[in-house]
Amino acid sequence: MSRAVWRGTAGALLGLFLFGVGLLITALLIRTYTLPKPRVIWQGEGAQEAKLGDRAIKQLKQALIGAVRIPTVSFSEEEQNFTALAEFKDYIKKVFPRVFSSSFIQHEVVAQYSHLFTVRGLDQSLMPYIILAHLDVVPAPDEGWKFPPFSGEEHSGYIYGRGALDDKSCVIGLLQALEFLLERGYQPQRSFYIGLGHDEEVSGHKGAMKIVEKLQSLGVKLLFAVDEGLAVVDGVIQGVKRPVALLENHPMPNMFGEGPEASMFEQLSREFSFPLNVMMANLWLFSPIISRVLQTTPSSNAIVRTTTAITIFNSGLKSNVIPHMARATVNFRLHPAQTVDEVLDIIRNTINDERVELSVLNSFDPLPISPHDESSFGYQILQRTIHSVFSGVPVVPGICIGNTDSRHFVNLTHSIYRFSPFQLRPEDLGRIHGLNERISVESLKKVVQFYYQLIQNADSNKVPTADQDNHEL
Ligand SMILES: *[C@@H]1O[C@H](CO)[C@@H](O)[C@H](O)[C@H]1NC(C)=O
Ligand SMILES: *[C@@H]1O[C@H](CO)[C@@H](O)[C@H](O)[C@H]1NC(C)=O
Ligand SMILES: [Zn+2]
């Protein structure tokens, strides 16, 4: 081959290669900038807003502070502060008199400390839904807190204390929203339930499970359920420019790159700057890189795999005696693509030592993913409410780490959505179950606003269809 011919061939190959690269880049960019925007189904007039004047805000703050002061601690499944749980019942009766005296609200105590409210709507042909929250909190040793954890101290626009976020702000925000609606003379069209469990932090076997049994015995089927979960996160996801509402489709998605987290990243892609937006919009190419990055922080690691934490370790009785036995309790958070049996197999093979005995204390397999398309009533109602309360933040399906009371509701509805209506910054996330848990008064107002509008929005009788006056904005 002459030099000239060789040069010609190499040139052609290089040209072809560059052409291929060009095509690929074009494809990536086209997908990035033409990914359909999640459609906003409902346009125009939404629910009436709660008018939170000075008196209402004071009332609301006092209601939360009083709730935080009652130490409804769950130490273990057997050991809870039952005195405090009983006190809590009297407390909400006193603080929300309209809720407890309304002619269309039935209140009952379930399993001694949990609560079920039935709010009867005007149109009995509409299928009811349920809103869940829980009364109990995890323990909080005094050390390390800026203010004692059960003092409910208000400082620089924040209310501090165990339960300020998880989950008393939801309990109080929800009941307060209903109280305000009743004050306005409102009665819903659609019936709904409010379930307040008393042992969520230690399984929900007594509270939520009994509420489920109660509803099942009445033959109730639910249109959807809303429970605590992910929130509006601001600066929590690196690279996202503005706050975003993450909504969990109960309970967890498939392996990374499939299931709802794929649409989470795709729908979020427009919130990232270049070149992250190109990567998010093209998971078909970039998911190996992204999943590798997600593994590097504990909170996002659980999106990728089952996580492992040794929570109790016991061995030895005296300092001068070698123990003959050691016992460890390990908490696994299962990736949705794995079952309990599969995880056990992996552990058995990893330990590979027959002296080690394995037993399962408590377990459940991941549950199916809730619908989140344009015709899913619950999802659309939530999206509409979140848009209105959090000034149009994008709503995307997400992955919530950890399980809550709503997992007991799978036989009553396929649509379980887990969303906590607060706006969180990264520094607040670690305070949940940690030190100096707090909620800003601004956030607390949004919690009330969220439930206030959610209840009204749920009065619609169906999701509008595509051709009804809702043009793409
Ligand atoms: C349980 O709650 C009561 C208030 O209802 C409180 O006085 C008591 O100290 C609490 N006990 C524990 C062990 O936290
Ligand atoms: C749902 O119903 C099935 C079949 O009756 C039962 O085995 C399962 O335990 C129920 N799940 C829950 C969470 O109640
Ligand atoms: Zn909680």
Side-chain angles (χ1 to χ4, degrees):
M1 222 190 288
S2 79
R3 228 158 222 256
V5 172
W6 168 240
R7 212 178 275 143
T9 312
L13 281 176
L14 183 65
L16 205 60
F17 175 71
L18 290 179
F19 180 69
V21 169
L23 268 187
L24 179 64
I25 291 175
T26 311
L28 294 179
L29 291 178
I30 288 178
R31 188 164 162 81
T32 304
Y33 294 103
T34 59
L35 261 189
K37 208 172 174 174
R39 225 155 51 91
V40 178
I41 300 281
W42 266 297
Q43 310 273 349
E45 277 302 287
Q48 197 171 321
E49 278 182 24
K51 305 236 176 349
L52 298 176
D54 290 346
R55 182 194 62 89
I57 293 168
K58 190 162 170 228
Q59 197 177 330
L60 171 63
K61 286 196 300 190
Q62 280 314 316
L64 179 63
I65 290 168
V68 168
R69 287 184 180 158
I70 306 173
T72 50
V73 177
S74 289
F75 298 97
S76 69
E77 234 179 289
E78 295 72 37
E79 203 189 346
Q80 296 185 261
N81 190 332
F82 296 112
T83 322
L85 286 168
E87 195 182 312
F88 206 90
K89 175 174 75 183
D90 300 332
Y91 178 73
I92 53 178
K93 274 189 176 159
K94 188 183 78 194
V95 176
F96 307 109
R98 284 188 176 78
V99 172
F100 283 86
S101 62
S102 164
S103 61
F104 53 86
I105 300 180
Q106 186 198 341
H107 166 253
E108 56 202 296
V109 172
V110 177
Q112 225 172 331
Y113 305 105
S114 288
H115 302 264
L116 177 64
F117 299 84
T118 308
V119 183
R120 205 177 54 251
L122 293 164
D123 186 347
Q124 288 298 305
S125 71
L126 298 175
M127 198 173 177
Y129 63 100
I130 193 164
I131 305 176
L132 300 170
H134 63 90
L135 312 177
D136 62 325
V137 295
V138 294
D142 268 338
E143 309 87 68
W145 284 72
K146 196 164 164 185
F147 307 103
F150 299 103
S151 63
E153 199 75 39
E154 189 184 348
H155 180 75
S156 302
Y158 285 88
I159 294 168
Y160 283 78
R162 175 59 81 232
L165 284 170
D166 180 14
D167 189 34
K168 284 180 174 165
S169 49
C170 288
V171 171
I172 295 300
L174 172 54
L175 293 175
Q176 186 70 72
L178 185 55
E179 183 81 8
F180 286 153
L181 283 168
L182 295 170
E183 215 166 277
R184 200 186 96 193
Y186 169 88
Q187 180 173 2
Q189 294 295 320
R190 186 186 296 278
S191 299
F192 65 97
Y193 298 92
I194 293 176
L196 306 179
H198 75 273
D199 63 341
E200 189 277 341
E201 297 292 0
V202 288
S203 75
H205 287 158
K206 289 183 232 146
M209 236 175 182
K210 295 292 170 212
I211 291 176
V212 168
E213 280 171 22
K214 171 101 212 169
L215 292 173
Q216 243 160 358
S217 73
L218 297 170
V220 171
K221 285 280 171 197
L222 299 167
L223 186 56
F224 63 95
V226 181
D227 190 16
E228 64 173 336
L230 294 169
V232 176
V233 290
D234 194 354
V236 171
I237 302 180
Q238 280 178 18
V240 175
K241 294 169 287 187
R242 58 172 172 155
V244 168
L246 290 179
L247 185 59
E248 195 213 10
N249 297 292
H250 186 282
M252 296 193 211
N254 276 309
M255 301 290 280
F256 184 76
E258 298 161 34
E261 94 279 22
S263 35
M264 162 179 158
F265 279 97
E266 282 182 357
Q267 293 182 22
L268 267 179
S269 64
R270 69 186 67 249
E271 303 302 325
F272 285 85
S273 316
F274 183 83
L276 284 175
N277 57 344
V278 177
M279 296 178 70
M280 299 300 171
N282 291 282
L283 287 184
W284 60 274
L285 183 60
F286 292 110
S287 70
I289 301 176
I290 295 172
S291 65
R292 202 144 310 152
V293 173
L294 289 174
Q295 289 171 29
T296 59
T297 66
S299 60
S300 51
N301 187 29
I303 297 174
V304 181
R305 65 158 56 84
T306 296
T307 61
T308 309
I310 297 182
T311 51
I312 304 174
F313 186 86
N314 296 314
S315 183
L317 293 167
K318 292 185 76 185
S319 56
N320 57 352
V321 179
I322 294 175
H324 71 282
M325 188 187 86
R327 185 195 301 270
T329 305
V330 187
N331 187 339
F332 294 96
R333 289 206 158 135
L334 257 61
H335 188 280
Q338 276 179 323
T339 63
V340 174
D341 283 340
E342 284 166 2
V343 170
L344 269 177
D345 272 350
I346 294 170
I347 303 165
R348 222 171 255 126
N349 290 334
T350 310
I351 297 176
N352 194 17
D353 184 333
E354 62 214 22
R355 289 171 302 169
V356 179
E357 236 176 74
L358 286 179
S359 63
V360 177
L361 291 177
N362 203 322
S363 74
F364 51 92
D365 283 326
L367 300 163
I369 296 157
S370 297
H372 51 283
D373 55 39
E374 291 188 352
S375 61
S376 312
F377 187 87
Y379 188 77
Q380 293 301 336
I381 287 288
L382 279 162
Q383 185 169 49
R384 181 180 208 204
T385 308
I386 294 166
H387 275 152
S388 158
V389 175
F390 296 95
S391 347
V393 296
V395 176
V396 297
I399 299 127
C400 189
I401 302 158
N403 271 280
T404 59
D405 273 350
S406 51
R407 71 185 157 107
H408 300 297
F409 284 74
V410 286
N411 287 341
L412 295 179
T413 178
H414 296 300
S415 303
I416 298 177
Y417 302 103
R418 291 176 42 199
F419 174 73
S420 294
F422 10 89
Q423 187 154 341
L424 292 179
R425 296 204 48 79
E427 63 266 29
D428 291 325
L429 274 181
R431 297 170 189 256
I432 298 174
H433 290 202
L435 297 174
N436 295 312
E437 185 177 345
R438 65 177 190 181
I439 187 169
S440 69
V441 175
E442 282 314 302
S443 267
L444 183 60
K445 281 157 63 180
K446 298 252 187 210
V447 176
V448 173
Q449 200 63 261
F450 173 79
Y451 291 118
Y452 192 88
Q453 296 189 28
L454 178 74
I455 291 168
Q456 296 173 76
N457 283 333
D459 279 343
S460 316
N461 58 9
K462 64 175 179 13
V463 180
T465 49
D467 48 295
Q468 256 173 284
D469 69 0
N470 69 97
H471 313 286
E472 183 90 46
L473 282 182

